[in-house]
Amino acid sequence: MLRAFLPAIAIALAALPALAEDEMSAWQFGGDVYVGGRNVLVAGDAVDDLFAVGQSVTASVEIGGSAHMAGQNVALKGRVGEDLYAAGQDVDVEAPVAGDVNIAGQNLKVTEPVSGDLRAAGQTVEITAPVAGNAILGGDQVEIDAVISGDVALNAQSVIWGDGARVDGTLHVYTDTPDSVDVPDRVAAADKVIVHETKAFDNLGAMPGAEGPSFWQSLRRWVGGVVVVGLLGTIFAAVAPDYLAGLRARALGRPVRTGIIGFVGLSALIGSVVLLAMTGFGILLIPLSIIAALLLGIAGYVIGTYAIGVWATGVAGRGAPASTGDRAIAAFIGAAIAALICLIPWIGWLAVMAIFLVGAGALVARLTRLERRAEPA
């Protein structure tokens, strides 16, 4: 499910240089809005696609396309015409969504209708509005008080069935204690309830409505990933060309050392989760550490792919990019090369890991001033 939220998390890269100076930075292109800051409030005229990241993110504007949101507190208050992707400590869906809803975090609430499928993973999940499609729900505590028209995959330590709860399709319950499963007849008939082992929740291919994507769906996702990464690299290059040039120079100049720095940086953020948990009160900060680690990893991937694109255009005889158009070409070429490398069996994921570690290392080295010498722009 994590891959569904990558576009929302990746957009934070575009705001990295601006967040150090401004409270909130926004950029609009072709009807799409890209915004980042500490307290983000998106309101006003309708937009096409929305990409927003911050500590507190609220969208009350009508969104004709898809919404991608990430932050500590995320609230959707404007109607979405397509899909919603959101991640945060608290995620509240308070407006209708015409497509699918994909949310992850600590406390998740859906209080307005979902016309497509619902995928939610969190500590607490509360569904009080109808879902027209299928639902995949995972959490410590799941509360359902609405009608779900499709099939449901449910993995939870405790389930609360409200008076308005009903599953019209098949209810798949994933648990290691099948004797504890208690589903009221008003929610689903006994012959519509199927119990599975918990480990089967990681592979839902056998559940109707959750089959693997077709070739054309996979191709569409692949192309979409290239477009998103290339666009993010282009935005970063347009907003802070010299900053990105320094990161690119570090990545290409000392890839091994930079990759090690990236590994240490990501390890520190991931390891901080354990240390915060040991302090007790630091548990409240764990979601921030997780989000920071994800941001660094995705930011590193975009930086790494841009560096690959610059290297490839250099090999082709174009030289270092000197204009926004040249940088855009490098960003999309790098994104396509990395996506192709990812398709290589067995070693593809190792190469992708190396790409985002090198990119993350360049960013960590710059932010921590590990290397003070000037880099060519």
Side-chain angles (χ1 to χ4, degrees), residues 316-344:
R318 294 182 61 92
S323 65
T324 301
D326 292 339
R327 297 183 185 101
I329 293 173
F332 279 95
I333 289 178
I337 293 175
L340 288 173
I341 293 175
C342 186
L343 298 177
I344 301 175

Side-chain angles (χ1 to χ4, degrees), residues 81-350:
E82 295 183 5
D83 300 331
L84 168 66
Y85 304 89
Q89 182 175 352
D90 297 317
V91 179
D92 296 329
V93 181
E94 304 174 14
V97 177
D100 298 339
V101 170
N102 307 274
I103 53 178
Q106 185 173 1
N107 303 305
L108 312 177
K109 292 182 179 181
V110 178
T111 58
E112 289 295 330
V114 177
S115 299
D117 298 331
L118 170 63
R119 305 173 185 90
Q123 184 174 352
T124 63
V125 180
E126 182 179 345
I127 312 298
T128 59
V131 178
N134 304 311
I136 300 177
L137 309 174
D140 292 342
Q141 177 177 302
V142 175
E143 180 178 352
I144 302 175
D145 192 10
V147 176
I148 300 178
S149 301
D151 298 330
V152 175
L154 178 61
N155 181 15
Q157 295 182 6
S158 66
V159 182
I160 299 175
W161 300 105
D163 295 336
R166 192 179 80 234
V167 177
D168 292 340
T170 302
L171 175 59
H172 298 262
V173 180
Y174 294 81
T175 178
D176 291 331
T177 56
D179 294 337
S180 66
V181 176
D182 183 15
V183 181
D185 291 337
R186 59 181 173 81
V187 175
D191 59 347
K192 287 293 190 73
V193 179
I194 302 177
V195 179
H196 308 266
E197 294 183 358
T198 300
K199 62 182 180 180
F201 188 73
D202 295 331
N203 183 13
L204 299 179
M207 192 188 80
E211 292 83 2
S214 65
F215 170 78
W216 293 111
Q217 289 175 326
S218 300
L219 180 61
R220 179 183 175 184
R221 293 178 182 178
W222 185 89
V223 174
V226 172
V227 172
V228 170
V229 175
L231 182 59
L232 290 174
T234 301
I235 295 171
F236 198 176
V239 173
D242 293 339
Y243 191 94
L244 183 57
L247 299 179
R248 178 255 301 168
R250 280 189 171 90
L252 295 178
R254 297 182 176 181
V256 176
R257 177 180 176 179
T258 305
I260 294 175
I261 294 174
F263 176 81
V264 173
L266 283 171
S267 299
L269 287 174
I270 296 173
S272 67
V273 173
V274 178
L275 295 178
L276 289 172
M278 292 174 62
T279 64
F281 61 86
I283 293 178
L284 298 175
L285 300 177
I286 288 178
L288 296 180
S289 295
I290 295 174
I291 292 174
L294 291 173
L295 288 174
L296 180 59
I298 302 305
Y301 182 73
V302 177
I303 295 170
T305 56
Y306 178 78
I308 291 176
V310 172
W311 169 82
T313 55
V315 172
R318 294 182 61 92
S323 65
T324 301
D326 292 339
R327 297 183 185 101
I329 293 173
F332 279 95
I333 289 178
I337 293 175
L340 288 173
I341 293 175
C342 186
L343 298 177
I344 301 175
W346 302 109
I347 65 173
W349 69 274
L350 291 174

